[in-house]
C-alpha cells in the first residue's frame, strides 16, 4: 500500500511539467533549403534524413520552454522571410531562430520559412571602342535568346541561366575571343558565345587587326594621243599593313605597254591604237584580300580637243578622274529621279527645267532623250560639264524653283551652294533641314530626302548645326559643320575636285582628309559622336529613319569640344557676353581673317552672317563654328595654308616686350592659338604696378599653351634671382630658350627646321625638313587628325627613340610604352605641388571651374587674397600666384612633358620648392619623400637609380645625397 502511495505522489509531482508541454510545427513555404533543430531535418528538395516540406515537432520541455532552429538556404538561394506564429520576424543574422521562448507556454507554435532564388547580373566590359563592341542578351543553353539586348548589363538572371555574348568588330578588325573563349572570326564577322550566368559576372571580347588594303588609281591624263605615256598612280592606296604590291593591267590589252616603276605605286602606259581603255590596278598586302581600282582613258589618233586640253591642269583632271564624282553609274540609278544626280546627262536635263519641286522627295523628272543606235540611253558619270558650262568655268544654273534658304524669307544662297545642294541636300526654301524626315532635338522638323535612312549620305546630318541647341539653351551640342552658304566658295571651302569624303555605314572606308579632320579635336571629334549615336542600341548597324535622326541629333559636347561649344563665340554684340577677343582661335571666321593678316586683323570685321540669326544688327547666333578647313587653309584643292608669317606679337610679355616666335613655316599657324594668353611676366607686372596681391583675381595662362612652353616664353620663373648663391653652387641656370641666348635647348623645338637636318640621323628625305615642329609631328604623313600616332612614330620619333628600356618601340606600342609612361611622373609632380598648395596655404584647384583656385579657408570662394590673410608678404604672395600659374599652365597643357620636357621639370621643381616652405632651398627631395615614400625613393648608391617620379623632379646627386640645382634636367 505504501508503494502505491509513493507512486501516486511521484506522478503528482510530475504533472506541472506535463502541463507545460507544447508543440511546434515547421514548414518550408517555397524555394530550396533546410530547417533543423539539430536532430530532425526538413528540406526542399527532399534529402535524407529530411521528412519533406512539412515537419512536425513535439517538444516535451520538462526543463526549458523554447526550441532553436537553424535555417540554411540551398546554393543559389537566400532567405526571403521567416514567419513565426503567423507574423514575420527580423533576419537573425546567423540563421538561427528560437521558438516558444517564455513561460508558461500553453499553445502550439509554428515556423514557416520562405527561400528565394538569387538573381544574377552579367555586365558587359566594353573593349576598346576603336576595335569593336559587345552586346548581351539572355538565352537558354542552346543560345535561343529572349528579352532585350544591352551593351551594359543583363540583370535578373537565375543561377542556372545563360547569356549570349555577341562581338561586333569595327572596321579592319576581327574577333579573337569572346567571354574568355577563343572564337576567331573573319574580318567584320559577328561572333557569338553562350556562357553560364553563374560564372561570368563580367564579360568582354578581344579583337585582332585584320589586314585590309583599298586600292586607289588616278591617271595623269584622261585623254591622250597614241604612243603618249600616261602615268598610272596608285599612291593613294590605303592599307593597315606594310608590304603592299601593285599589278597594273589594261582592257583591251592589245597594243598596250605598261612599265611599272620598281619599288613604287606608279607605272607608265602607252597605247598603240586609238580607242577607249580601262586601266586597272590590283593592290595586294600580306594577309589581306586583293582589292582593285580602275580608271578610263580615251586614246585618240588626232583630236582637236587635245590642242587645248591635253596639258591643261593635268593635276586637276587626275583628281576629278580619281574622285567621288567619277564612280561608275550604279545599277538602277539610270532611271527617273536617280538620273539627276548620278549622271551628267540627267543633271543637265534637269537643270534646264523650270517650275520643278526640287526640294521634294521625288520630284518631277523628264526622261533623258539621248540614245544610241540601239535605243540605249547615253549616260556618263558626273563629269566637268555636269557642274560647269562647256568651255568655261562658270557653274551650271539650277532651276529657279530651287532656292534653299537658311530661314523663311531670308537671303538667297550662293550659286555654288545652290548647285551642290541640289543633289547634296541641306535645307529647303523654308530653312528646314532635308534629311531623315523625322523631328530632331524636339523642335527642328526635318524634310525627307531620297536617302532618308542613310545618315552618311545625308549631308544635313553632318553639315547642319541645329539652332535649337545653342549656348544657353537646354542642350548645347554643335551637331554639324556650318556651311558658308552665302559665299561662292560654300562647298569648295573644304572640298576639292576629288570629292572624296569616305564616310560610310561600316567605317571600312579609307580615311580621307575630311574624315580625319572630323575625328580631330579641331572638329570636337564630331564624327565619333555621330558614329556612337548610330551604333548605340543598334548592334546590327541597321539604317533606318530612326537611326538617321538620332545620328543627326548627336554632336560636339563640352567634353569632346569645349573650345567650340562652351561659349557663344560669334557674339559680337559689344555686351558683357561679347567674345570678339576669342574669335581668332575659337572660330574659323576669326582664324582665317587673323592668319591672312595678323597686323591688320580687327575682330569687328568678322562676318558670321552664314550662321542662323546672325545679322548686322543682331550679332549673335545659336550656331557655333568649329575650326574648319578654311580656317587654316586657303585652298582645299591644293592644301595651301594661310600664312601669317612669324608670330612676332603674342598676347603677353617676355623679357619686357611682347613675346615673339621664330618663323617656323607651316607651324606658324599652330603657334597663333597654342601659345597661351598670359605669362609669368603678367604677374610680375602687377608687382611693378604696386599691386599688393590682397585683392587680385588669378592670372589665367589659358589652355594648351604648347608653343609658349616649347619656346620657354610663358612660365613663372621669378622665384629667385638666378645669380643667388646657395651653398657652394650657383642655383640654376637661366630659364630662357636657346633662341633667346638662354640655357634651355630642345631637339623637339628644332624638328622641321634646317637646324635639325643632319642631326640625330635625320635627313630631308624623311619628309620633316620643313614645316616646323608642330606640323612635323602632328601632321606626319599628312594625317589631319593631328594627333601623335603611328604616322608620327614611323616618320619622326623612331629616328631618335628606338627603345624604352629593354622594350623595342613599335608603331603599335610606342604610345603606351613610351609616351604615356612619361606622363606618369609629370602628373605625380603636379599632384605633389597641389598637395603642398592645399596643406600650406588652404588653396584647392578645380580644373573644371574658372578661376580654378579656391579658398578652403573662406567658404571655397575664388582666391583673391594671395597673402593668405597676412601669412605672406606681398613679394611672397606674387610667388604664390606664380606657383598657381605654373600649376594651371601645366595642367592645361597635358603634353608639356613632351613639348617642353626640360622647362616643365624646372617650373615644377621651383614651384614645389617655394610651396613647401616659401623658401628656395632645394628642399624638394625631402618634401617628395615625405609626401609619398613609394613614388619618391632615394638611392644611396653612386651607380643606382631612383624611381621615375623622383628622377623627373630633379637630378639627385647620389654622392653628396643632396639635391643639386645644377643637375636638374
Amino acid at each position: 500500500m505504501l508503494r502505491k502511495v509513493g507512486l501516486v505522489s511521484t506522478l503528482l509531482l510530475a504533472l506541472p511539467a506535463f502541463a507545460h508541454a507544447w508543440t511546434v510545427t515547421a514548414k518550408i513555404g517555397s524555394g530550396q533549403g533546410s530547417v533543423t533543430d539539430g536532430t530532425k531535418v526538413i528540406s526542399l528538395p527532399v534529402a535524407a534524413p529530411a521528412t519533406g516540406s512539412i515537419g512536425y515537432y513535439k517538444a516535451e520541455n520538462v526543463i526549458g520552454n523554447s526550441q532553436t532552429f537553424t535555417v540554411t538556404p540551398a546554393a543559389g538561394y537566400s532567405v526571403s522571410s521567416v514567419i513565426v506564429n503567423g507574423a514575420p520576424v527580423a533576419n537573425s543574422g546567423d540563421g538561427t531562430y528560437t521558438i516558444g521562448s517564455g513561460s508558461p507556454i500553453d499553445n502550439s507554435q509554428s515556423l514557416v520559412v520562405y527561400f528565394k532564388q538569387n538573381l544574377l547580373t552579367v555586365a558587359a566590359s566594353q573593349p576598346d571602342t576603336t576595335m569593336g563592341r559587345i552586346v548581351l542578351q539572355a538565352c537558354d543553353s542552346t543560345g535561343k535568346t529572349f528579352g532585350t539586348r544591352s551593351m551594359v548589363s543583363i540583370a535578373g538572371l537565375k543561377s542556372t541561366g545563360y547569356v549570349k555574348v555577341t562581338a561586333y568588330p569595327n572596321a579592319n578588325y576581327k574577333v579573337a575571343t569572346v567571354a574568355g573563349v577563343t572564337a576567331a572570326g573573319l574580318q567584320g564577322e559577328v561572333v557569338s558565345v553562350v556562357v553560364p550566368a553563374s560564372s561570368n559576372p563580367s564579360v568582354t571580347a578581344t579583337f585582332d587587326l585584320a589586314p585590309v588594303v583599298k586600292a586607289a588609281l588616278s591617271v595623269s591624263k584622261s585623254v591622250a594621243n597614241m604612243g603618249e605615256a600616261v602615268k598610272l598612280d596608285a599612291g593613294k592606296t590605303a592599307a593597315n599593313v606594310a608590304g603592299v604590291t601593285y599589278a597594273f593591267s589594261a582592257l583591251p590589252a592589245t597594243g598596250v605597254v605598261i612599265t611599272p616603276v620598281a619599288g613604287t605605286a606608279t607605272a607608265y602606259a602607252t597605247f598603240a591604237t586609238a580607242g577607249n581603255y580601262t586601266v586597272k590596278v590590283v593592290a595586294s598586302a600580306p594577309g589581306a584580300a586583293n582589292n582593285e581600282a580602275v580608271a578610263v582613258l580615251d586614246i585618240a589618233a588626232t583630236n582637236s580637243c587635245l590642242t587645248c586640253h591635253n596639258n591643261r591642269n593635268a593635276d586637276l583632271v587626275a583628281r576629278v578622274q580619281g574622285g567621288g564624282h567619277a564612280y561608275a553609274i550604279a545599277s538602277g540609278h539610270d532611271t527617273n529621279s536617280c538620273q539627276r544626280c548620278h549622271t551628267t546627262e540627267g543633271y543637265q536635263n534637269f537643270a534646264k527645267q523650270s517650275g520643278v519641286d526640287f526640294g521634294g522627295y521625288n520630284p518631277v523628272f523628264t526622261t533623258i532623250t539621248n540614245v544610241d543606235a540601239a535605243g540605249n540611253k547615253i549616260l556618263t558619270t558626273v563629269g566637268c560639264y555636269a557642274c560647269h558650262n562647256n568651255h568655261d568655268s562658270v557653274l551650271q544654273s539650277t532651276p529657279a524653283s530651287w532656292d534653299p534658304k537658311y530661314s523663311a524669307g531670308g537671303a538667297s544662297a550662293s550659286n555654288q551652294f545652290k548647285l551642290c545642294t541640289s543633289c547634296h541636300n541641306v535645307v529647303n526654301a523654308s530653312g528646314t533641314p532635308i534629311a531623315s524626315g523625322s523631328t530632331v532635338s524636339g523642335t527642328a522638323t526635318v524634310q525627307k530626302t531620297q536617302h532618308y535612312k542613310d545618315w552618311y549620305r545625308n549631308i544635313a546630318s553632318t553639315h547642319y548645326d541645329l539652332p535649337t541647341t545653342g549656348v544657353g539653351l537646354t542642350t548645347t551640342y554643335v551637331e554639324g559643320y556650318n556651311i558658308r552658304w552665302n559665299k561662292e566658295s560654300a562647298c569648295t571651302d573644304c572640298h576639292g575636285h576629288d570629292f572624296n569624303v569616305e564616310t560610310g555605314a561600316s567605317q571600312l572606308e579609307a580615311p580621307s582628309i575630311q574624315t580625319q579632320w572630323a575625328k580631330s579635336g579641331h572638329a570636337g571629334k564630331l564624327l565619333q559622336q555621330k558614329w556612337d549615336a548610330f551604333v548605340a542600341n543598334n548592334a546590327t548597324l541597321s539604317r533606318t529613319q530612326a537611326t538617321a535622326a538620332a545620328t543627326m541629333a548627336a554632336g560636339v559636347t563640352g567634353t569632346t569640344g569645349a573650345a567650340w561649344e562652351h561659349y557663344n563665340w560669334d557674339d559680337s554684340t559689344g555686351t558683357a557676353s561679347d567674345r570678339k577677343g576669342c574669335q581668332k582661335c575659337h572660330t574659323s571666321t576669326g582664324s582665317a581673317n587673323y592668319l591672312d593678316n595678323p597686323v591688320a586683323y580687327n575682330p569687328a570685321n568678322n562676318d558670321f552672317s552664314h550662321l542662323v540669326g546672325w545679322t548686322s544688327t543682331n550679332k549673335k547666333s545659336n550656331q557655333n563654328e568649329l575650326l574648319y578647313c578654311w580656317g587654316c587653309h586657303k585652298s582645299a584643292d591644293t592644301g595651301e595654308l594661310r600664312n601669317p608669317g612669324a608670330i612676332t606679337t603674342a598676347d603677353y610679355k617676355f623679357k619686357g616686350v611682347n613675346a615673339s616666335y621664330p618663323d617656323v613655316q607651316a607651324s606658324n599657324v599652330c603657334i597663333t592659338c597654342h601659345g597661351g594668353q598670359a605669362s609669368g611676366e603678367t604677374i610680375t607686372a602687377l608687382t611693378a604696378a604696386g599691386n599688393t596681391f590682397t585683392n587680385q583675381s588669378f592670372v589665367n595662362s589659358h589652355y594648351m599653351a604648347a608653343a609658349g612652353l616649347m619656346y620657354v616664353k610663358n612660365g613663372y620663373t621669378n622665384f629667385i634671382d638666378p645669380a643667388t648663391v646657395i651653398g657652394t653652387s650657383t642655383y640654376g641656370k637661366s630659364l630662357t630658350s636657346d633662341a633667346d641666348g638662354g640655357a634651355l635647348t630642345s631637339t623637339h623645338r628644332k624638328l622641321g627646321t634646317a637646324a635639325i637636318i643632319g642631326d640625330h640621323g635625320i635627313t630631308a628625305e624623311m619628309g620633316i625638313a620643313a614645316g616646323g615642329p608642330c606640323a612635323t609631328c602632328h601632321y606626319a604623313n599628312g594625317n589631319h587628325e593631328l594627333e601623335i600616332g603611328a604616322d608620327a612614330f614611323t616618320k619622326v620619333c623612331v629616328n631618335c627613340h628606338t627603345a624604352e628600356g629593354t622594350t623595342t618601340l613599335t608603331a603599335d606600342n610606342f604610345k603606351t610604352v613610351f609616351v604615356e609612361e612619361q606622363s606618369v611622373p609629370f602628373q605625380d609632380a603636379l599632384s605633389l605641388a597641389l598637395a603642398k598648395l592645399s596643406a600650406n596655404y588652404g588653396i584647392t584647384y578645380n580644373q573644371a571651374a574658372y578661376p580654378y583656385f579656391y579658398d578652403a579657408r573662406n567658404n571655397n570662394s575664388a582666391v583673391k587674397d594671395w597673402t593668405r590673410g597676412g601669412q605672406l608678404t606681398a613679394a611672397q604672395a606674387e610667388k604664390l600666384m606664380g606657383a598657381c600659374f605654373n600649376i594651371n599652365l601645366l595642367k592645361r597643357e597635358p603634353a608639356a612633358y613632351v613639348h617642353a620636357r626640360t622647362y616643365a621639370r624646372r617650373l615644377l621643381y621651383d614651384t614645389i620648392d617655394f610651396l613647401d616652405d616659401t623658401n628656395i632651398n632645394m628642399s624638394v627631395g625631402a618634401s617628395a619623400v615625405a609626401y609619398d615614400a613609394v613614388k619618391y625613393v632615394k638611392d644611396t648608391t653612386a651607380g643606382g637609380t631612383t624611381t621615375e617620379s623622383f628622377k623627373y623632379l630633379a637630378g639627385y646627386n647620389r654622392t653628396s645625397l643632396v639635391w643639386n640645382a645644377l643637375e636638374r634636367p
Side-chain angles (χ1 to χ4, degrees), residues 799-822:
N799 294 296
C800 299
H801 304 287
T802 57
E804 175 67 3
T806 59
T807 303
T808 299
L809 295 178
T810 67
D812 293 326
N813 72 13
F814 89 100
K815 283 188 72 174
T816 54
V817 173
F818 183 57
V819 178
E820 292 171 4
E821 282 298 310
Q822 299 291 315

Side-chain angles (χ1 to χ4, degrees), residues 65 67 106 179 232 297 336 498 510 672 714 960:
N65 293 310
Q67 181 69 48
D106 55 7
L232 312 181
L297 295 174
N336 300 325
D498 57 1
T672 299
N714 57 358
S960 59

Side-chain angles (χ1 to χ4, degrees), residues 279-358:
V279 290
K280 179 173 70 173
V281 64
V282 176
S284 305
N290 292 348
N291 190 252
E292 64 182 44
V294 299
V296 178
L297 295 174
D298 180 10
I299 306 301
T302 57
N303 190 330
S304 59
C305 297
L306 294 179
T307 304
C308 295
H309 292 284
N310 194 35
N311 295 307
R312 184 179 178 183
N313 205 340
D315 182 58
L316 180 64
V317 172
R319 285 200 296 275
V320 173
Q321 286 290 319
H325 280 183
Y327 293 158
I329 301 171
S331 174
H333 288 72
D334 59 351
T335 59
N336 300 325
S337 61
C338 299
Q339 293 180 22
R340 70 179 176 90
C341 293
H342 289 273
T343 73
T344 293
E345 292 79 7
Y347 189 81
Q348 284 186 313
N349 191 30
F350 186 86
K352 296 173 184 176
Q353 298 181 51
S354 61
V356 178
D357 178 17
F358 212 95

Side-chain angles (χ1 to χ4, degrees), residues 171-173 187 209-214 238-241 244 285-289 291 508:
N172 300 349
Y173 285 89
Q187 178 190 345
L209 187 67
V212 174
V213 60
K214 184 173 182 180
N240 60 7
V241 291
V244 179
N291 190 252
L508 289 172

Side-chain angles (χ1 to χ4, degrees), residues 333 342 361 435-436 449-455 457-458 548:
H333 288 72
H342 289 273
Y361 171 62
S436 66
T449 188
Q450 288 86 343
H451 299 287
Y452 70 96
K453 296 180 180 180
D454 304 330
W455 69 269
R457 288 188 175 126
N458 294 325

Side-chain angles (χ1 to χ4, degrees), residues 4 63 76 98 123 146 197 212 301 307 478 508 537 557 562 588 616 679 685 688 715 736 770 773 899 920 935 959:
K4 291 181 178 179
I63 300 175
T98 301
F146 51 85
V212 174
T307 304
V478 181
L508 289 172
N537 300 314
T557 67
S588 290
S616 59
S679 71
T736 57
H899 292 133
I920 298 298
K935 290 180 179 176
T959 303

